[in-house]
Amino acid sequence: MGREVLLSLLSVLAFWSVWVVKAEDAYKYYTWTVTYGTASPLGPSQQVILINGQFPGPRLDTVTNDNIILNLINKLDQPFLLTWNGIKQRKNSWQDGMLGTNCAIPPNSNYTYKFQTKDQIGSYTYFPSTLMHRAAGGFGVLNIYARSVIPVPYAKPAGDFSLLIGDWYKSNHKALQQVLDSGKPLPFPDGILINGQSRSSFSGDQGKTYMFRVSNLGLSTSFNFRIQGHKLKLVEVEGSHVLQNMYDSLDVHVGQSVTVLVTLDQSPKDYYIVASTRFTKTVLTAIAVLHYTNSRAAISGPVPSGPTDDIAWSMDQARSYRWNLTSNAARPNPQGSFHYGKITTSRTIVLANSAPIINGKQRYAINGNSFINSDTPLKLADYFNIPGVFSINSIQTAPSDSSNKLATSVMGASLHEFIEVVFQNNEDTIQSWHLDGYDFWVVGFGTGQWTQASRKAYNLVDALTRHTTQVYPKSWTAILVSLDNQGMWNLRSAMWGRQYLGQQFYLRVYNPTPSLANEYDIPNNALLCGKAVGRRHP
C-alpha cells in the first residue's frame, strides 16, 4: 500500500511540475509565409513584401519567457531572413537572423525559428535583415507582456496601440539596392508611413488612458512624435521601465522604440497624431488621427509644429530618460538591483563612423573597416572551425589614421567582460547604433571629441538600458555593456543603407570551455551554406 501511495504522490508531483513549466514557459506556434504583394502607401501602386498577406506583417504578442516556434516560408525570388530587433536570444545567437549567424532561407524553402523571450518585457520589432528587403516591408510589431505575477508600474491601460513609423520610398527595394551597389548613397525618402499607411486612425473613450508603442522602423531618418493637445507619459524604453516624466513630444531615432501612456482628457473631438523628420533640410510629416468615440468635430487647422533642429534640445531630452530603480523588471526584482556604475570596466572600445570612398564607390566604415559579408555565416565558420572566413580582432578597438579597407570584421571579447564603448561621430549627420544579443546602459552624451575626462559627466546611477542609441552630429555617446551572452553578435548602424554598405561588424563573445550553460548547441534544423555545406550536425 505504501508503494502505491508513493507512486500516486510522484504522479501528482510530476503532473504539477509539468503544469508549472507550461504555465510559466508557454509554447506558441506560428507559420508565416513571405510573398510579394501590391500596396499604395504613398499613392502610386508599388510592390511590397507581405507576411501572411499583411503589410506590415502580423503583430506578434508574447509574454515573458514564451517559447516561439515560427516556421518562415520564403516565397520571394531572393533569399530572405528575419531578425528580431532587441530580442536578446539568450545563449542562442543561432536564431538571431543576421547573415553573420544564419544562412538566408532560399526561395521556395523554409526555416523554423526557435527562440525564447527570456527575461524580457517591452515593445520590440522584427524586420528583414537581407539585402534591402526592409525597404519593401516584411516588418512588424513584437510586444512582450509581463507575466501576471510580476506587477508593472502603471495601471492597465484601456487600450494598447502599436505604431510602426518610418521613412518610405516609392522606389522598389531592388532599385534602391542598385543605387547602393552602384556606389551612391540612398536618396532622400519620399514620405513617412504610420503602420504602412499615409493616414490611419486610433479611437478611444474620453477620460480613459491608452498605451501607444512607438517604433522607428525607417531606413535612415529620425522623427519627432507628438499628439495634438495631449501629454505623453513615458513609461518604458526598449525593455526598461523609466521614471514617468511627461513630454510634449519625443524624438525617436532609427531602430528605437518607446512606450507612452496618453490620457484622453481633452474636449471630445479628433486630434492630430504627428511624426515629422528630424535634422533634415526638407521636413517630411505623417499624420494619423486620435479619434474620441464621442467626437463632435474632425481634425482641423494647422498641423502642430515640432521642435526646432536644435541638437541640444534633443540631447537634453535623451539625458532626461532615467531608469526606474524600484520597478520590477521581467523578474520579480528591482531593475536597479544590478549596480552597473560600481563595476570596473575591463577595457574601452572607441568606434568612429565614417563615409569613405573605396574603389571609387561610396562605402561606410567603423574604424576604417567597411564590412563585407562572407558566403559562410561567421557563426557556422566558428562552430565548424572553417579557416579563411574571418579572423579574430580584424577590426581595431580605436580609430587610427590608416587607410580604409573592405573586411569581414570580427572583434573578440571574453564572456563576462564588462566594457565601455564610445561611439564617436565626426560626421555632420545623426547616427543610430544597435547591438544584437544585449541591452546596454547609455551613460553619456556629449559634443565634440570624447576624452577620458568625459566620464565625469556619466550617469552611473540610473541610466536606462536599451538596445539602440543615437549619436548626435559631431558628438559622442558612451555605453556600458555586460557581456554575459555568449555568441556571435552583430553591432551595426541601424540606418540600413549604411549597414548595407559596411557600417557593421560582429562581436564574438567567447568562452574557450564548451558548456551548454553558456551557449546552446547548433540547432538540428540549421541551414548550411557556403563552406559549411556538407558539414555534419551533432
Side-chain angles (χ1 to χ4, degrees), residues 194-263:
I194 300 178
N195 289 348
Q197 303 174 52
S198 57
R199 182 67 66 96
S200 52
S201 180
F202 303 88
S203 296
D205 297 333
Q206 187 179 24
K208 293 183 178 179
T209 298
Y210 294 83
M211 175 172 282
F212 286 77
R213 303 172 182 267
V214 181
S215 297
N216 187 334
L217 256 175
L219 294 178
S220 61
T221 312
S222 301
F223 65 77
N224 178 267
F225 177 81
R226 52 201 183 271
I227 300 179
Q228 181 186 23
H230 293 74
K231 295 288 188 180
L232 311 176
K233 179 187 284 187
L234 186 67
V235 295
E236 178 253 326
V237 176
E238 294 164 20
S240 284
H241 288 134
V242 296
L243 295 184
Q244 296 177 9
N245 295 324
M246 305 295 289
Y247 298 89
D248 292 323
S249 69
L250 291 171
D251 281 353
V252 186
H253 306 279
V254 180
Q256 295 184 344
S257 297
V258 298
T259 302
V260 298
L261 295 177
V262 179
T263 300

Side-chain angles (χ1 to χ4, degrees), residues 60-106:
L60 189 58
D61 283 337
T62 69
V63 175
T64 301
N65 291 353
D66 275 355
N67 292 282
I68 307 301
I69 313 296
L70 191 147
N71 181 27
L72 187 67
I73 303 170
N74 178 20
K75 291 294 185 179
L76 304 184
D77 58 353
Q78 295 177 318
F80 186 83
L81 275 176
L82 287 180
T83 190
W84 315 93
N85 198 48
I87 303 305
K88 293 182 185 178
Q89 305 289 3
R90 295 291 302 172
K91 305 189 295 184
N92 201 19
S93 63
W94 300 107
Q95 305 294 337
D96 196 32
M98 295 297 296
L99 288 174
T101 53
N102 297 87
C103 299
I105 306 166

